[in-house]
Amino acid sequence: MASSSSYNSPCAACKFLRRKCTPGCIFAPYFPPEEPQKFANVHKIFGASNVTKLLNELLPHQREDAVNSLAYEAEARVRDPVYGCVGAISFLQRQVQRLQKELESANADLIRFACNEINPTANLPPPPSITPRPRSSSLGFYQQPPAFPLPYPLPWNDTSDPSGNINDGGEGNM
Amino acid sequence: MISGRCAACKYLRRRCPSDCIFSLYFPPNDPQRFACVHRIYGASNVAKMLQQIPPPLRAEAAETLYFEARCRIEDPVYGCVGVISQLYEQLQSAESELAKTQAEIAVLNCNPQEAPIEANSNFNTLLAPFHSNFLV
């Protein structure tokens, strides 16, 4: 959190808006002059007065997180005017679903494996169809997850979806 | 044609022109949709955003703007970034679970005779229904 509303340079918001940065400037703690693009994005998408209203409705200790999430959403929307953050949400949802399916499959393999190991000791007669199953080779080795540190960068290019890239307009154009 | 106004023009109390940028995406039967979007972005910002997008993609854009606006109204601090954070956590949890399971399978593949039944909790949890039936 940087404050620049004293006799130092105006905050990024007041610089952008070309106005005097007063000591009580609501933007000053969150839009330091070293990050002009942050406010520029937020202003473009939400507008200064909407941001002021949003911040005024929050407690002071919530405002920094709110500004950072607004800045994140604004940057996402600037990069992808059609989908914004929703592109990332769709991508992540598909990743979660894919992993959950892989997990179900791995768990099923584990159970099958265990059953093959336990069956010789069972008191019950084996079912007629039971035969030693080949070791599953359908499981891919676990791959390292893509590195997506929060909150940047955004996974704009979804190459894992065979049905097409939902983020067609997602190329960074800032 | 006051009765034909879109939700945006009704909300803004103005005439709805024939080329209104909002009319296709904010129908009069869903006033809440425009109210949400207006509250977070403002009508002029939404109009500017829609105008910069090719017409075939504007419906998607309006939909995602509405989604994000709703998220922000429900969670004024984090908005849809909160949803992204939750998904990241779910992703990490699923990846970790998958890695554990695949490691267990790898161990069983290497030592099928020697793998202890109480290897780890995942294994035990999965096999719990079988233990009581098959173990002496």
Side-chain angles (χ1 to χ4, degrees), chain A residues 96-157:
Chain A
V96 168
Q97 281 163 7
R98 180 181 60 81
L99 277 173
Q100 281 171 346
K101 278 191 188 139
E102 278 188 49
L103 189 58
E104 278 167 30
S105 172
N107 282 333
D109 279 347
L110 196 59
I111 290 176
R112 272 197 299 271
F113 199 107
C115 285
N116 286 341
E117 295 304 316
I118 292 172
N119 262 335
T121 64
N123 293 327
L124 297 173
S129 61
I130 194 165
T131 51
R133 296 184 63 163
R135 298 279 190 245
S136 168
S137 59
S138 62
L139 281 179
F141 278 101
Y142 169 69
Q143 295 178 2
Q144 283 299 317
F148 292 131
L150 280 176
Y152 304 98
L154 293 170
W156 299 115
N157 294 317

Coordinates of all heavy atoms in Angstrom, one line a residue, chain A residues 96-157:
Chain A
V96 N -10.4 -28.6 -13.8 CA -10.8 -29.4 -12.5 C -11.6 -30.6 -12.9 O -11.4 -31.7 -12.4 CB -11.7 -28.4 -11.6 CG1 -12.4 -29.2 -10.5 CG2 -10.8 -27.4 -11.0
Q97 N -12.5 -30.4 -13.9 CA -13.3 -31.6 -14.3 C -12.5 -32.7 -14.9 O -12.6 -33.9 -14.6 CB -14.4 -31.2 -15.4 CG -15.6 -30.5 -14.8 CD -16.4 -29.7 -15.8 OE1 -16.1 -29.8 -17.0 NE2 -17.4 -29.0 -15.4
R98 N -11.5 -32.3 -15.7 CA -10.6 -33.3 -16.3 C -9.8 -34.0 -15.2 O -9.7 -35.2 -15.3 CB -9.6 -32.5 -17.3 CG -8.6 -33.4 -18.0 CD -7.7 -32.6 -18.9 NE -6.9 -31.6 -18.1 CZ -5.8 -31.9 -17.5 NH1 -5.3 -33.1 -17.4 NH2 -5.1 -30.9 -16.9
L99 N -9.3 -33.3 -14.3 CA -8.5 -33.9 -13.2 C -9.4 -34.8 -12.4 O -9.0 -35.9 -11.9 CB -7.9 -32.9 -12.3 CG -6.6 -32.3 -12.8 CD1 -6.1 -31.2 -12.0 CD2 -5.5 -33.4 -12.9
Q100 N -10.6 -34.4 -12.1 CA -11.5 -35.3 -11.3 C -11.8 -36.6 -12.1 O -11.9 -37.6 -11.5 CB -12.8 -34.5 -11.0 CG -12.6 -33.5 -9.8 CD -13.7 -32.6 -9.6 OE1 -14.6 -32.5 -10.4 NE2 -13.7 -31.9 -8.4
K101 N -11.9 -36.5 -13.4 CA -12.1 -37.7 -14.2 C -10.9 -38.6 -14.1 O -11.0 -39.8 -13.9 CB -12.4 -37.4 -15.6 CG -13.8 -37.0 -15.9 CD -14.2 -37.0 -17.4 CE -15.6 -36.4 -17.5 NZ -15.7 -35.5 -18.6
E102 N -9.7 -38.0 -14.2 CA -8.5 -38.8 -14.1 C -8.4 -39.4 -12.7 O -7.9 -40.5 -12.6 CB -7.3 -37.8 -14.3 CG -7.0 -37.6 -15.8 CD -5.7 -36.8 -15.9 OE1 -4.6 -37.2 -15.3 OE2 -5.7 -35.8 -16.7
L103 N -8.8 -38.7 -11.7 CA -8.7 -39.2 -10.4 C -9.7 -40.4 -10.2 O -9.3 -41.4 -9.6 CB -9.1 -38.1 -9.4 CG -8.9 -38.3 -7.9 CD1 -7.4 -38.7 -7.6 CD2 -9.3 -37.1 -7.1
E104 N -10.9 -40.3 -10.8 CA -11.8 -41.4 -10.7 C -11.2 -42.6 -11.4 O -11.3 -43.7 -10.9 CB -13.1 -41.0 -11.4 CG -14.1 -40.2 -10.5 CD -15.2 -39.6 -11.3 OE1 -15.6 -40.2 -12.3 OE2 -15.6 -38.5 -10.9
S105 N -10.6 -42.4 -12.5 CA -10.0 -43.5 -13.2 C -8.9 -44.1 -12.5 O -8.8 -45.3 -12.4 CB -9.6 -42.9 -14.6 OG -8.9 -43.9 -15.3
A106 N -8.1 -43.3 -11.9 CA -6.9 -43.8 -11.1 C -7.4 -44.6 -9.9 O -6.9 -45.6 -9.6 CB -6.0 -42.6 -10.7
N107 N -8.4 -44.0 -9.2 CA -9.0 -44.7 -8.1 C -9.6 -46.1 -8.5 O -9.4 -47.1 -7.8 CB -10.0 -43.9 -7.4 CG -9.4 -42.8 -6.5 OD1 -8.3 -42.9 -6.0 ND2 -10.1 -41.7 -6.3
A108 N -10.2 -46.1 -9.6 CA -10.8 -47.4 -10.1 C -9.7 -48.4 -10.4 O -9.8 -49.5 -10.1 CB -11.6 -47.1 -11.4
D109 N -8.6 -47.9 -11.0 CA -7.4 -48.7 -11.3 C -6.8 -49.3 -10.0 O -6.5 -50.4 -9.9 CB -6.4 -48.0 -12.0 CG -6.7 -47.9 -13.5 OD1 -7.6 -48.6 -14.0 OD2 -6.0 -47.1 -14.2
L110 N -6.8 -48.4 -9.0 CA -6.2 -48.8 -7.7 C -7.1 -49.9 -7.1 O -6.5 -50.9 -6.5 CB -6.2 -47.6 -6.8 CG -5.3 -47.6 -5.5 CD1 -3.9 -47.9 -5.9 CD2 -5.4 -46.3 -4.8
I111 N -8.3 -49.8 -7.2 CA -9.2 -50.8 -6.6 C -9.1 -52.1 -7.4 O -9.0 -53.2 -6.8 CB -10.7 -50.3 -6.6 CG1 -10.8 -49.2 -5.6 CG2 -11.7 -51.4 -6.3 CD1 -12.2 -48.5 -5.5
R112 N -9.1 -51.9 -8.7 CA -8.9 -53.2 -9.5 C -7.6 -53.9 -9.2 O -7.6 -55.1 -9.0 CB -8.9 -52.8 -11.0 CG -10.3 -52.8 -11.6 CD -10.3 -52.8 -13.1 NE -9.5 -51.7 -13.6 CZ -10.1 -50.6 -14.0 NH1 -11.4 -50.4 -13.8 NH2 -9.4 -49.6 -14.5
F113 N -6.6 -53.1 -9.0 CA -5.3 -53.6 -8.7 C -5.3 -54.3 -7.3 O -4.8 -55.5 -7.2 CB -4.3 -52.5 -8.6 CG -2.8 -52.9 -8.7 CD1 -2.1 -52.7 -9.9 CD2 -2.2 -53.6 -7.7 CE1 -0.8 -53.1 -10.0 CE2 -0.9 -54.0 -7.8 CZ -0.2 -53.7 -9.0
A114 N -5.9 -53.7 -6.4 CA -6.0 -54.3 -5.0 C -6.9 -55.5 -5.1 O -6.5 -56.5 -4.4 CB -6.6 -53.2 -4.1
C115 N -7.9 -55.5 -5.8 CA -8.8 -56.7 -5.9 C -8.0 -57.9 -6.5 O -8.1 -59.0 -6.1 CB -10.0 -56.5 -6.8 SG -11.2 -55.5 -6.0
N116 N -7.2 -57.6 -7.5 CA -6.4 -58.6 -8.1 C -5.4 -59.2 -7.1 O -5.1 -60.4 -7.1 CB -5.6 -58.1 -9.3 CG -6.5 -57.9 -10.5 OD1 -7.6 -58.4 -10.5 ND2 -6.0 -57.1 -11.4
E117 N -4.9 -58.4 -6.2 CA -4.0 -58.8 -5.1 C -4.7 -59.6 -4.0 O -4.2 -60.5 -3.5 CB -3.3 -57.6 -4.5 CG -2.4 -56.9 -5.5 CD -1.3 -57.8 -6.1 OE1 -0.7 -58.6 -5.4 OE2 -1.2 -57.7 -7.3
I118 N -5.9 -59.2 -3.7 CA -6.6 -59.8 -2.6 C -7.3 -61.1 -3.0 O -7.5 -62.0 -2.2 CB -7.6 -58.8 -2.0 CG1 -6.9 -57.6 -1.3 CG2 -8.6 -59.4 -1.0 CD1 -7.8 -56.5 -0.9
N119 N -7.7 -61.2 -4.2 CA -8.5 -62.3 -4.7 C -7.9 -63.7 -4.3 O -8.7 -64.6 -3.9 CB -8.7 -62.2 -6.2 CG -10.1 -61.6 -6.5 OD1 -11.0 -61.7 -5.6 ND2 -10.2 -61.0 -7.6
P120 N -6.6 -63.9 -4.4 CA -6.1 -65.2 -4.1 C -6.4 -65.7 -2.7 O -6.5 -66.8 -2.4 CB -4.6 -65.1 -4.3 CG -4.5 -64.0 -5.3 CD -5.6 -63.1 -5.0
T121 N -6.6 -64.7 -1.8 CA -6.9 -65.1 -0.3 C -8.4 -65.1 0.0 O -8.8 -65.4 1.1 CB -6.2 -64.0 0.6 OG1 -6.9 -62.8 0.4 CG2 -4.8 -63.9 0.3
A122 N -9.2 -64.8 -1.0 CA -10.7 -64.8 -0.7 C -11.2 -66.1 -0.5 O -10.8 -67.1 -1.1 CB -11.4 -64.1 -1.9
N123 N -12.2 -66.2 0.5 CA -12.9 -67.5 0.7 C -14.0 -67.7 -0.3 O -14.4 -68.9 -0.5 CB -13.5 -67.5 2.1 CG -12.4 -67.5 3.2 OD1 -11.3 -68.0 2.9 ND2 -12.6 -66.8 4.3
L124 N -14.5 -66.7 -0.9 CA -15.5 -66.8 -1.8 C -15.0 -67.2 -3.2 O -13.9 -66.9 -3.5 CB -16.3 -65.5 -2.0 CG -16.9 -65.0 -0.7 CD1 -17.4 -63.6 -0.9 CD2 -18.1 -65.9 -0.3
P125 N -15.8 -68.0 -3.9 CA -15.3 -68.4 -5.3 C -15.2 -67.2 -6.1 O -16.1 -66.3 -6.0 CB -16.4 -69.4 -5.8 CG -17.6 -69.0 -5.0 CD -17.1 -68.6 -3.7
P126 N -14.2 -67.1 -7.0 CA -14.1 -65.9 -7.8 C -15.2 -65.9 -8.9 O -15.7 -67.0 -9.2 CB -12.7 -66.1 -8.5 CG -12.5 -67.6 -8.5 CD -13.1 -68.1 -7.3
P127 N -15.6 -64.7 -9.3 CA -16.6 -64.6 -10.3 C -16.0 -65.2 -11.6 O -14.8 -65.2 -11.8 CB -16.9 -63.1 -10.5 CG -15.7 -62.5 -9.9 CD -15.1 -63.4 -8.8
P128 N -16.9 -65.8 -12.5 CA -16.4 -66.5 -13.7 C -15.5 -65.7 -14.6 O -14.6 -66.2 -15.2 CB -17.7 -66.9 -14.4 CG -18.8 -66.6 -13.5 CD -18.3 -65.7 -12.4
S129 N -15.8 -64.4 -14.7 CA -15.0 -63.5 -15.7 C -13.7 -63.1 -15.2 O -13.0 -62.4 -15.9 CB -15.9 -62.3 -16.0 OG -16.1 -61.5 -14.9
I130 N -13.3 -63.4 -14.0 CA -12.1 -62.8 -13.4 C -10.9 -63.4 -14.1 O -10.7 -64.6 -14.2 CB -12.0 -63.0 -11.9 CG1 -10.9 -62.0 -11.4 CG2 -11.7 -64.4 -11.5 CD1 -11.0 -61.8 -9.9
T131 N -10.0 -62.5 -14.6 CA -8.7 -62.9 -15.1 C -7.7 -61.8 -14.7 O -8.1 -60.7 -14.5 CB -8.7 -63.0 -16.6 OG1 -9.2 -61.8 -17.2 CG2 -9.5 -64.2 -17.1
P132 N -6.4 -62.2 -14.6 CA -5.5 -61.1 -14.3 C -5.6 -60.0 -15.4 O -5.4 -60.4 -16.5 CB -4.1 -61.8 -14.3 CG -4.4 -63.2 -14.1 CD -5.8 -63.5 -14.7
R133 N -5.8 -58.8 -15.0 CA -5.9 -57.8 -16.0 C -4.6 -57.2 -16.2 O -3.7 -57.1 -15.4 CB -6.9 -56.7 -15.4 CG -8.2 -57.3 -15.2 CD -9.2 -56.2 -14.8 NE -9.3 -55.2 -15.9 CZ -10.3 -54.4 -15.9 NH1 -11.2 -54.4 -14.9 NH2 -10.4 -53.5 -16.8
P134 N -4.4 -56.8 -17.5 CA -3.1 -56.2 -17.8 C -2.9 -54.9 -17.0 O -3.9 -54.2 -16.7 CB -3.1 -55.9 -19.3 CG -4.6 -55.9 -19.6 CD -5.2 -56.8 -18.6
R135 N -1.6 -54.6 -16.7 CA -1.4 -53.3 -16.0 C -1.9 -52.2 -16.8 O -1.7 -52.2 -18.0 CB 0.1 -53.1 -15.8 CG 0.8 -54.2 -15.0 CD 0.5 -53.9 -13.5 NE 1.4 -54.9 -12.7 CZ 0.9 -55.8 -11.9 NH1 -0.4 -55.9 -11.8 NH2 1.7 -56.6 -11.2
S136 N -2.6 -51.3 -16.2 CA -3.2 -50.2 -17.0 C -2.1 -49.3 -17.5 O -1.2 -48.9 -16.9 CB -4.0 -49.4 -16.0 OG -4.4 -48.2 -16.7
S137 N -2.1 -49.2 -18.8 CA -1.2 -48.3 -19.5 C -1.9 -47.0 -19.9 O -1.3 -46.2 -20.6 CB -0.5 -49.0 -20.6 OG -1.5 -49.4 -21.5
S138 N -3.2 -46.9 -19.6 CA -3.9 -45.8 -20.1 C -3.7 -44.5 -19.2 O -4.0 -43.5 -19.6 CB -5.4 -46.1 -20.1 OG -5.9 -46.4 -18.8
L139 N -3.2 -44.8 -18.0 CA -3.0 -43.6 -17.2 C -1.8 -42.9 -17.7 O -0.7 -43.5 -17.8 CB -2.7 -44.1 -15.7 CG -3.9 -44.5 -14.9 CD1 -3.4 -44.9 -13.5 CD2 -4.9 -43.4 -14.7
G140 N -2.0 -41.6 -17.9 CA -0.8 -40.8 -18.2 C 0.0 -40.6 -16.9 O -0.6 -40.6 -15.9
F141 N 1.3 -40.4 -17.1 CA 2.0 -40.1 -15.9 C 1.5 -38.7 -15.5 O 1.2 -37.9 -16.3 CB 3.5 -40.0 -16.2 CG 4.1 -41.4 -16.1 CD1 4.4 -42.1 -17.2 CD2 4.3 -42.0 -14.8 CE1 4.9 -43.4 -17.1 CE2 4.9 -43.3 -14.8 CZ 5.2 -44.0 -15.9
Y142 N 1.5 -38.5 -14.2 CA 1.1 -37.2 -13.7 C 2.1 -36.1 -14.2 O 3.3 -36.2 -14.1 CB 1.2 -37.2 -12.1 CG 1.0 -35.9 -11.5 CD1 -0.2 -35.2 -11.6 CD2 2.1 -35.3 -10.9 CE1 -0.3 -33.9 -11.0 CE2 1.9 -34.0 -10.3 CZ 0.7 -33.4 -10.4 OH 0.6 -32.2 -9.8
Q143 N 1.5 -35.1 -14.8 CA 2.3 -34.0 -15.3 C 2.3 -32.9 -14.4 O 1.3 -32.6 -13.7 CB 1.8 -33.6 -16.7 CG 1.9 -34.7 -17.7 CD 1.4 -34.3 -19.0 OE1 1.0 -33.2 -19.2 NE2 1.4 -35.2 -20.0
Q144 N 3.3 -32.1 -14.4 CA 3.4 -30.9 -13.5 C 2.3 -30.0 -14.0 O 2.0 -29.8 -15.2 CB 4.7 -30.2 -13.7 CG 5.9 -30.9 -13.0 CD 5.6 -30.9 -11.5 OE1 5.2 -30.0 -10.9 NE2 5.8 -32.1 -10.8
P145 N 1.6 -29.4 -13.0 CA 0.5 -28.5 -13.4 C 1.2 -27.2 -14.0 O 2.3 -26.9 -13.7 CB -0.1 -28.1 -12.1 CG 0.9 -28.4 -11.1 CD 1.8 -29.5 -11.6
P146 N 0.4 -26.6 -14.9 CA 1.0 -25.3 -15.4 C 1.1 -24.3 -14.3 O 0.4 -24.4 -13.3 CB -0.1 -24.8 -16.4 CG -1.3 -25.6 -16.0 CD -0.9 -26.8 -15.4
A147 N 2.2 -23.5 -14.4 CA 2.4 -22.6 -13.3 C 1.6 -21.4 -13.4 O 1.8 -20.6 -14.3 CB 3.9 -22.2 -13.3
F148 N 0.5 -21.3 -12.6 CA -0.4 -20.1 -12.7 C -0.4 -19.5 -11.3 O -1.3 -19.7 -10.5 CB -1.8 -20.6 -13.0 CG -1.9 -21.1 -14.4 CD1 -2.6 -22.3 -14.7 CD2 -1.4 -20.4 -15.5 CE1 -2.7 -22.8 -16.0 CE2 -1.5 -20.9 -16.8 CZ -2.2 -22.1 -17.0
P149 N 0.6 -18.7 -11.1 CA 0.6 -18.0 -9.8 C -0.5 -17.0 -9.7 O -0.9 -16.4 -10.7 CB 2.0 -17.3 -9.8 CG 2.3 -17.1 -11.2 CD 1.7 -18.3 -11.9
L150 N -1.1 -16.8 -8.6 CA -2.1 -15.8 -8.5 C -1.5 -14.4 -8.3 O -0.5 -14.3 -7.7 CB -3.0 -16.1 -7.3 CG -4.1 -17.1 -7.5 CD1 -4.8 -17.4 -6.2 CD2 -5.1 -16.7 -8.5
P151 N -2.1 -13.4 -8.8 CA -3.2 -13.4 -9.7 C -2.8 -13.3 -11.1 O -3.6 -13.3 -12.0 CB -3.9 -12.0 -9.3 CG -2.8 -11.1 -8.9 CD -1.7 -12.0 -8.3
Y152 N -1.5 -13.3 -11.4 CA -1.1 -13.2 -12.8 C -0.2 -14.4 -13.2 O 0.4 -15.0 -12.3 CB -0.3 -11.9 -13.1 CG -1.0 -10.7 -12.7 CD1 -0.8 -10.1 -11.4 CD2 -2.0 -10.1 -13.5 CE1 -1.4 -9.0 -11.0 CE2 -2.6 -9.0 -13.1 CZ -2.4 -8.4 -11.9 OH -3.1 -7.3 -11.5
P153 N 0.0 -14.9 -14.3 CA -0.7 -14.4 -15.5 C -2.0 -15.2 -15.7 O -2.3 -16.1 -14.9 CB 0.3 -14.8 -16.6 CG 1.0 -16.0 -16.1 CD 1.0 -15.8 -14.6
L154 N -2.7 -14.9 -16.7 CA -4.0 -15.6 -17.0 C -3.8 -16.6 -18.1 O -3.1 -16.3 -19.0 CB -5.1 -14.6 -17.4 CG -5.5 -13.6 -16.3 CD1 -6.4 -12.5 -16.9 CD2 -6.2 -14.3 -15.2
P155 N -4.4 -17.7 -18.0 CA -4.3 -18.8 -19.0 C -5.2 -18.5 -20.2 O -6.2 -19.0 -20.4 CB -4.8 -20.0 -18.3 CG -5.8 -19.5 -17.3 CD -5.3 -18.1 -16.9
W156 N -4.7 -17.6 -21.1 CA -5.6 -17.1 -22.1 C -5.8 -18.1 -23.2 O -6.8 -18.2 -23.9 CB -5.0 -15.8 -22.8 CG -5.0 -14.7 -21.7 CD1 -3.9 -14.1 -21.3 CD2 -6.1 -14.2 -21.0 NE1 -4.2 -13.2 -20.3 CE2 -5.6 -13.2 -20.1 CE3 -7.5 -14.4 -21.1 CZ2 -6.4 -12.5 -19.3 CZ3 -8.3 -13.7 -20.2 CH2 -7.7 -12.7 -19.3
N157 N -4.7 -19.0 -23.5 CA -4.8 -19.9 -24.6 C -5.0 -21.3 -24.1 O -4.2 -21.9 -23.5 CB -3.5 -19.9 -25.4 CG -3.3 -18.5 -26.0 OD1 -4.2 -18.0 -26.6 ND2 -2.1 -18.0 -26.0

